[in-house]
Amino acid sequence: MMYADSIAEVYDLVYQGRGKDYEVEAEELASLAKSRRPDARTLLDVACGTGLHLRHLAGLFDDVGGVELAPDMLSIARQRNPGAALHLGDMRDFDLGHRYDVITCMFSSVGHLSTPGELESTMHRFAAHLTPGGVAVVEPWWFPETFTPGYVGASIVEVDGRTISRVSHSVREGGATRIEVHYLVAGPDTGIRHFDESHLISLFERADYERAFERAGFTVEYLTPGPSGRGLFVGVRG
């Protein structure tokens, strides 16, 4: 799999070209969190990716930070958010020595955890980084009963002088989704380039998420539809 300087480079272009509105999503996340914690001033985005949510969340909170596992994604996020404290780290065991009023974890990033035990460890890490009464907003992956085996996703976008084609195929592999993604990126100066990636994304049960939140000391609710149709878990730390 080719990744550095390839998929990270076109990742945002694909989603923005498909109409993803990071500004509106950031406003909705802030509203959701502040409806549970009206005095929320600080936010940490876990698995912040290239930092586009953070760029807009920074205007809605006094202080924002991020954690990201992929160095190439983090590099782009740092360029976009020079005033934010951004850290290379794993959601299962990160320790920043600092607490926030709100934690967000979007793009179904928790689906990359392998077991319910890892999901529980992650929720404990979230709780450890939240002030009392703090809010965690987590976008899950599909549940086993809502996943569509054999699903094919396809899009073509033209943005910034480049034409980008993205095709994905998803199958059930044990208790997870195996998703294969291929990109063709064409530009006047670069010609046509091909990138591909493969992900194994856990199909946790709704009860797995709720149990992980509750064992970490949260009161949790599940809201639909969420920005991608997969819903959102909202936990308030006791």
Side-chain angles (χ1 to χ4, degrees):
M1 178 181 74
M2 298 177 65
Y3 198 87
D5 300 322
S6 57
I7 293 174
E9 176 189 355
V10 300
Y11 180 83
D12 294 327
L13 299 178
V14 168
Y15 281 99
Q16 291 179 86
R18 291 162 65 182
K20 188 173 182 64
D21 194 325
Y22 288 87
E23 183 176 9
V24 168
E25 288 186 15
E27 291 171 352
E28 291 174 348
L29 287 171
S31 177
L32 184 62
K34 291 182 179 181
S35 70
R36 275 86 177 157
R37 178 69 184 272
D39 63 342
R41 296 177 50 255
T42 61
L43 176 140
L44 178 71
D45 191 19
V46 177
C48 65
T50 61
L52 268 174
H53 276 130
L54 268 180
R55 188 173 71 179
H56 298 292
L57 288 164
L60 303 170
F61 292 86
D62 295 342
D63 179 52
V64 298
V67 176
E68 173 55 45
L69 182 62
D72 52 345
M73 294 282 192
L74 185 62
S75 176
I76 296 172
R78 283 173 169 159
Q79 294 172 36
R80 285 201 172 115
N81 299 275
L86 302 182
H87 308 268
L88 184 67
D90 189 318
M91 68 174 73
R92 295 169 295 184
D93 59 13
F94 72 100
D95 185 0
L96 306 182
H98 185 69
R99 291 191 174 191
Y100 294 82
D101 299 325
V102 179
I103 287 178
T104 54
C105 185
M106 304 301 291
F107 274 109
S108 303
S109 300
V110 290
H112 292 278
L113 301 170
S114 298
T115 65
E118 290 188 350
L119 184 59
E120 186 173 331
S121 296
T122 296
M123 292 304 108
H124 277 284
R125 286 290 82 210
F126 286 9
H129 287 81
L130 282 170
T131 56
V135 180
V137 182
V138 175
E139 183 177 20
W141 183 238
W142 300 110
F143 305 141
E145 68 274 15
T146 58
F147 170 64
T148 303
Y151 180 79
V152 174
S155 61
I156 297 177
V157 300
E158 295 183 13
V159 60
D160 288 358
R162 283 175 282 187
T163 299
I164 304 168
S165 171
R166 178 188 185 275
V167 178
S168 66
H169 180 240
S170 302
V171 298
R172 181 80 177 253
E173 187 173 307
T177 298
R178 171 67 68 182
I179 179 169
E180 304 284 346
V181 187
H182 290 256
Y183 298 84
L184 286 177
V185 183
D189 300 323
T190 59
I192 301 174
R193 293 177 292 161
H194 171 254
F195 311 125
D196 65 272
E197 59 181 343
S198 176
H199 296 293
L200 192 64
I201 309 177
S202 294
L203 289 165
F204 293 122
E205 302 274 359
R206 173 174 169 176
D208 292 327
Y209 290 99
E210 292 172 338
R211 187 179 305 111
F213 270 98
E214 290 165 358
R215 289 182 175 175
F218 290 94
T219 300
V220 62
E221 57 187 315
Y222 176 62
L223 307 177
T224 57
S228 304
R230 294 186 285 270
L232 291 171
F233 285 97
V234 183
V236 178
R237 179 181 180 270

